[in-house]
Amino acid sequence: MENEPLLMIPGPVPIPQRVRAAMTRQAINHRGPEFGAAYADTVRVLKTLFGTESDLYIISGSGSAGMEAAVANFGRDKRIVSLVNGKFGERFAKIGARYGTVTALESEWGTPLDLAALEQELEAGAEIVTMVHNETSAGIKNPAPEVGKLARKYDALFVMDGITSIGGDEVLMDKWGVDVAVVGSQKCLAAPAGLAAIAIGERAWDRICDKRPFYLDLAAYKKSGSSTPMETPYTPAVPLFLALHEACKMIEEEGIAARIARHRRMAESVRAAAKAWGVELFPKIDEHHAYSNTATAMRIPDGVTDKDLRGTVKKFGIEIAGGQDHLKGKIFRIGTMGSVGAQEILATLAAVQFALRKSGFAAGDGLEAAAEVLLG
Amino acid sequence: MENEPLLMIPGPVPIPQRVRAAMTRQAINHRGPEFGAAYADTVRVLKTLFGTESDLYIISGSGSAGMEAAVANFGRDKRIVSLVNGKFGERFAKIGARYGTVTALESEWGTPLDLAALEQELEAGAEIVTMVHNETSAGIKNPAPEVGKLARKYDALFVMDGITSIGGDEVLMDKWGVDVAVVGSQKCLAAPAGLAAIAIGERAWDRICDKRPFYLDLAAYKKSGSSTPMETPYTPAVPLFLALHEACKMIEEEGIAARIARHRRMAESVRAAAKAWGVELFPKIDEHHAYSNTATAMRIPDGVTDKDLRGTVKKFGIEIAGGQDHLKGKIFRIGTMGSVGAQEILATLAAVQFALRKSGFAAGDGLEAAAEVLLG
């Protein structure tokens, strides 16, 4: 323990010591072979997490920069249909509106997307679909394979925000028909915040816009990424690249299947606790949608305040997330991403259970239920 | 010594241990008071280096992202005049062309800018002037105060790339009439690559474009930057912010005047060595232009190859820079930025002198000349 707050929010997440240590080395030339090899090896691992054989590049910027790169390079002056059932879906629609004509298909946060309406928009000529795979603002996982199929059927591009799923949950970009996908470094990859990785399939390259931004010009990333040693078009955030490379080594050591299974087990244990407590899960899922395997959103029970709940948990040095925007004070969220495990989850759930009971909510024993799940 | 190559290129530069160590701490919440305080204190110090009392924000991205933010927020669909006498001036013109109508006033790299032509363009209605203050590709310092005066005279905005001057050479943004200025973290500030800081004066805010990009939307930075605790609109590269904060503490400890004097002395010592060697300085300066105080560009003497020169220097674990684009093989460049001092400069100059003589060039004793300057 380092006497630092334990971040059990939906990212940024705790960063393993090995990964942080990778940032302490002296500056290296970002146009040299050592940097190029680290970049290339990171790309190799990330492709396996994206489930793609397509090109993949790393942008020095947040996940939102990656989302904008996807829209700005392929969506300018295009008809974009944005699927929205949470904060990041809304963000994707907002970004789209800066470049093209957006039809936002909005569902209540945490409720299923309207796939029938999507098909209508595609029939009517929409050229790009944007979707957030794992919507942490509401704790719901959206149906990427179904949307991919529809996009292909109507010859549209499918741009997917995989920021909080890739590296923690199963993503099969090529199989699902995703044309462009994005991940952020500070979520399931357990690296520091500040990098976004973006994968671009052939269908997308064929339709890249003539007019593109500069810093987020994916053609520039492709050109620099094809050189030997591999490079970025502009000076990269070198320490973050070295950290992400180390994080990828740890992911390979764990094994992707094991990592995904661990994430699922962690989220399931939180859901088991919620059930035992008598706390309602926030999302309304159906046969196409699922609970998120990386962030669990729960309703704050009547009689309990957000401040009491999260404030009490924080007294134990643990930060969990509240609701965003109109869900402030209504839900709380626990992130189970990256390298955390049973220790962190048990501590977090114990603190939440204590806080619930302290607020007068007669919570059942969520810890035993969670512990059973964690033991598998 | 850490057995790492010594980077004596015009950035990235060696990063002090204290600054690198600041990145090793566990992830903190970027919406919390601790991060906000670090961000605010960094901004406070940077404003003194920019010579401004205007708003200043930090973008998670390279210096080029900062340049694009300046152009994209203020130059869309505008008449832009870009002063060009090196690679980064060219880049500024290229970025401008993605947003507005650019007239590039090109001089040979490393030769004076055409201020008379600038005045003509301003008279003819140019609305924005872009200029690189310190053009490391050619080792020349461009006349910011003169350009600022002209821009004000004709009511145009003056956007200045101070990426390689701010923090190492004198910059007086407000006094000179600079409306928007940008610095990069990995140059004179001696922090890791990956952040750009941008200052925006009132005249610029008054003319911000309605249509702006998303990630680089400066209005969003202003809004988040005005909250308490101070925030960024999107997830920041937290370790880089902490490192830059530590770098700013070191700058304050040294004192800005002392830091600028040190940078000037370092560049002067390299120029003294060049003179003693009989190696020609690359830039052609006049009464408005000066040699760069952070990067010295020199012609490679006849009979010496770039490969032999830099290759031999590299054998001592020291990296100096070659020429870029059409200057490849024709010049070499030594960066003297950030926290380096006499040790690093003497080692570098000794290696260069050895390499020159090894290649058969009868170099005089540059070391003695440089040492005299370094002692002051």
Side-chain angles (χ1 to χ4, degrees):
Chain A
M1 301 303 284
E2 303 168 68
N3 282 325
E4 295 275 11
L6 172 62
L7 294 187
M8 295 298 281
I9 59 178
V13 302
I15 308 166
Q17 156 64 16
R18 271 175 65 181
V19 173
R20 287 182 276 134
M23 291 189 282
T24 62
R25 63 171 299 187
Q26 191 44 281
I28 60 170
N29 185 347
H30 59 281
R31 307 255 177 240
E34 188 184 358
F35 178 82
Y39 183 12
D41 197 52
T42 305
V43 164
R44 177 185 64 75
V45 177
L46 290 178
K47 283 184 182 181
T48 65
L49 303 178
F50 277 67
T52 190
E53 296 182 356
S54 296
D55 296 331
L56 188 150
Y57 305 108
I58 300 173
I59 297 168
S60 294
S62 79
S64 293
M67 290 166 79
E68 184 171 15
V71 169
N73 282 269
F74 304 105
R76 183 183 283 272
D77 300 328
K78 296 276 169 65
R79 291 178 60 173
I80 302 169
V81 53
S82 288
L83 296 164
V84 178
N85 60 350
K87 183 176 180 69
F88 295 96
E90 285 184 358
R91 180 171 291 183
F92 230 162
K94 276 184 198 161
I95 296 172
R98 305 226 179 173
Y99 293 93
T101 310
V102 172
T103 303
L105 298 179
E106 303 196 44
S107 312
E108 284 291 312
W109 287 24
T111 68
L113 298 171
D114 188 342
L115 297 179
L118 170 63
E119 182 151 16
Q120 283 180 359
E121 290 297 325
L122 287 166
E123 264 188 318
E127 297 159 282
I128 296 205
V129 183
T130 70
M131 189 193 80
V132 175
H133 184 216
N134 185 66
E135 181 62 80
T136 54
S137 65
I140 195 166
K141 179 159 83 163
N142 288 322
E146 288 85 341
V147 172
K149 250 180 234 155
L150 283 173
R152 285 287 158 104
K153 181 175 171 189
Y154 294 96
D155 195 35
L157 288 182
F158 178 24
V159 173
M160 188 181 88
D161 167 347
I163 291 174
T164 59
S165 60
I166 291 170
D169 204 348
E170 183 175 67
V171 172
L172 300 169
M173 178 175 168
D174 292 351
K175 187 176 170 196
W176 293 349
V178 180
D179 296 296
V180 182
V182 179
V183 76
S185 51
Q186 81 282 21
K187 308 285 185 178
C188 299
L189 305 177
L195 299 179
I198 184 165
I200 306 107
E202 272 310 317
R203 292 175 77 240
W205 282 129
D206 290 343
R207 302 175 194 198
I208 192 166
C209 301
D210 289 336
K211 203 169 175 192
R212 302 183 296 274
F214 188 81
Y215 188 67
L216 299 177
D217 181 351
L218 293 173
Y221 282 84
K222 186 175 192 174
K223 190 178 168 201
S224 301
S226 306
S227 73
T228 309
M230 191 170 181
E231 290 184 7
T232 55
Y234 318 112
T235 309
V238 176
L240 303 184
F241 273 71
L242 298 178
L244 181 56
H245 187 212
E246 191 65 30
C248 282
K249 286 182 193 167
M250 291 182 73
I251 290 170
E252 281 212 300
E253 288 165 18
E254 179 175 18
I256 298 170
R259 190 177 183 87
I260 292 172
R262 177 170 57 81
H263 276 81
R264 289 184 174 174
R265 201 164 52 240
M266 292 195 297
E268 202 186 322
S269 75
V270 175
R271 294 196 294 267
K275 191 174 171 190
W277 289 331
V279 164
E280 194 185 343
L281 294 174
F282 177 71
K284 302 288 172 215
I285 64 171
D286 65 7
E287 71 275 23
H288 300 299
H289 296 69
Y291 294 115
S292 165
N293 284 320
T294 66
T296 302
M298 292 158 275
R299 286 191 187 275
I300 298 174
D302 289 343
V304 180
T305 68
D306 181 36
K307 201 182 154 200
D308 281 345
L309 174 57
R310 290 198 293 138
T312 302
V313 170
K314 199 166 183 178
K315 285 182 185 159
F316 297 99
I318 299 169
E319 292 195 31
I320 60 174
Q324 295 168 290
D325 299 349
H326 64 278
L327 292 181
K328 263 183 193 152
K330 296 187 177 154
I331 66 169
F332 68 106
R333 298 174 298 143
I334 297 177
T336 47
M337 293 174 179
S339 64
V340 294
Q343 281 180 31
E344 288 83 1
I345 290 178
L346 289 177
T348 304
L349 296 178
V352 170
Q353 183 166 305
F354 178 84
L356 288 170
R357 289 178 177 173
K358 185 109 179 164
S359 291
F361 179 75
D365 188 2
L367 280 171
E368 187 178 340
E372 293 285 0
V373 173
L374 287 169
L375 284 184
Chain B
M1 304 301 285
E2 303 169 66
N3 281 323
E4 295 276 9
L6 172 63
L7 293 188
M8 296 297 282
I9 59 178
V13 303
I15 308 167
Q17 157 64 16
R18 270 175 66 181
V19 174
R20 288 181 277 132
M23 292 187 282
T24 61
R25 64 172 298 189
Q26 190 46 278
I28 60 170
N29 184 348
H30 59 281
R31 307 256 177 240
E34 189 184 358
F35 178 82
Y39 182 12
D41 196 53
T42 305
V43 164
R44 178 185 64 75
V45 177
L46 290 178
K47 283 184 182 182
T48 65
L49 303 179
F50 278 65
T52 191
E53 296 182 356
S54 297
D55 296 330
L56 189 149
Y57 305 107
I58 300 174
I59 297 168
S60 295
S62 80
S64 293
M67 291 166 77
E68 185 172 14
V71 169
N73 283 269
F74 304 105
R76 182 183 284 271
D77 300 328
K78 296 277 168 66
R79 291 177 62 174
I80 303 169
V81 52
S82 288
L83 296 163
V84 178
N85 61 352
K87 183 178 179 67
F88 294 97
E90 285 184 358
R91 180 172 291 183
F92 230 163
K94 274 184 198 162
I95 296 172
R98 305 224 179 175
Y99 293 93
T101 310
V102 172
T103 303
L105 298 179
E106 303 196 42
S107 312
E108 283 291 311
W109 286 25
T111 68
L113 298 171
D114 189 342
L115 298 178
L118 170 62
E119 184 150 16
Q120 283 180 0
E121 289 296 327
L122 287 166
E123 265 188 319
E127 298 159 280
I128 295 205
V129 184
T130 71
M131 189 193 80
V132 176
H133 183 216
N134 185 65
E135 181 61 82
T136 55
S137 65
I140 195 166
K141 180 158 81 164
N142 288 321
E146 289 85 339
V147 171
K149 251 179 234 154
L150 284 173
R152 286 286 158 104
K153 182 175 171 188
Y154 294 95
D155 195 36
L157 288 183
F158 178 25
V159 174
M160 189 180 87
D161 167 348
I163 291 174
T164 59
S165 60
I166 292 170
D169 205 348
E170 185 176 67
V171 172
L172 300 169
M173 178 173 168
D174 292 352
K175 188 176 171 195
W176 293 350
V178 180
D179 297 296
V180 183
V182 179
V183 74
S185 52
Q186 80 281 21
K187 309 286 185 177
C188 299
L189 305 178
L195 298 179
I198 184 164
I200 305 107
E202 273 309 316
R203 293 176 74 239
W205 282 127
D206 289 345
R207 302 174 194 200
I208 193 167
C209 301
D210 289 336
K211 204 170 174 191
R212 302 182 297 273
F214 187 80
Y215 189 67
L216 300 177
D217 182 349
L218 292 174
Y221 282 84
K222 185 174 191 175
K223 190 178 169 201
S224 301
S226 307
S227 73
T228 308
M230 191 171 181
E231 290 184 7
T232 55
Y234 317 112
T235 308
V238 176
L240 303 184
F241 274 70
L242 298 178
L244 181 57
H245 187 213
E246 191 65 29
C248 283
K249 287 183 194 167
M250 292 183 72
I251 290 170
E252 281 212 302
E253 288 166 19
E254 180 176 16
I256 298 170
R259 190 178 183 86
I260 292 172
R262 176 169 59 81
H263 275 81
R264 289 184 174 173
R265 200 163 54 239
M266 293 196 296
E268 201 186 320
S269 76
V270 175
R271 294 196 293 267
K275 191 175 173 190
W277 288 332
V279 165
E280 193 184 344
L281 294 174
F282 178 72
K284 302 289 172 217
I285 64 171
D286 65 8
E287 70 275 23
H288 299 299
H289 296 70
Y291 294 115
S292 165
N293 284 320
T294 65
T296 302
M298 293 157 274
R299 284 192 188 276
I300 298 174
D302 289 343
V304 181
T305 67
D306 181 36
K307 201 182 154 199
D308 281 346
L309 174 57
R310 290 198 294 138
T312 301
V313 170
K314 200 166 181 177
K315 284 181 185 159
F316 296 100
I318 299 170
E319 291 195 32
I320 59 174
Q324 295 168 291
D325 299 350
H326 64 279
L327 291 180
K328 262 184 194 152
K330 294 186 179 155
I331 66 170
F332 68 105
R333 297 174 298 144
I334 296 177
T336 47
M337 293 175 180
S339 63
V340 294
Q343 281 180 32
E344 288 84 0
I345 290 179
L346 289 177
T348 304
L349 296 178
V352 170
Q353 183 165 303
F354 178 84
L356 288 170
R357 290 178 177 173
K358 185 108 181 164
S359 290
F361 179 74
D365 189 1
L367 280 171
E368 188 178 339
E372 294 285 1
V373 173
L374 287 169
L375 283 185

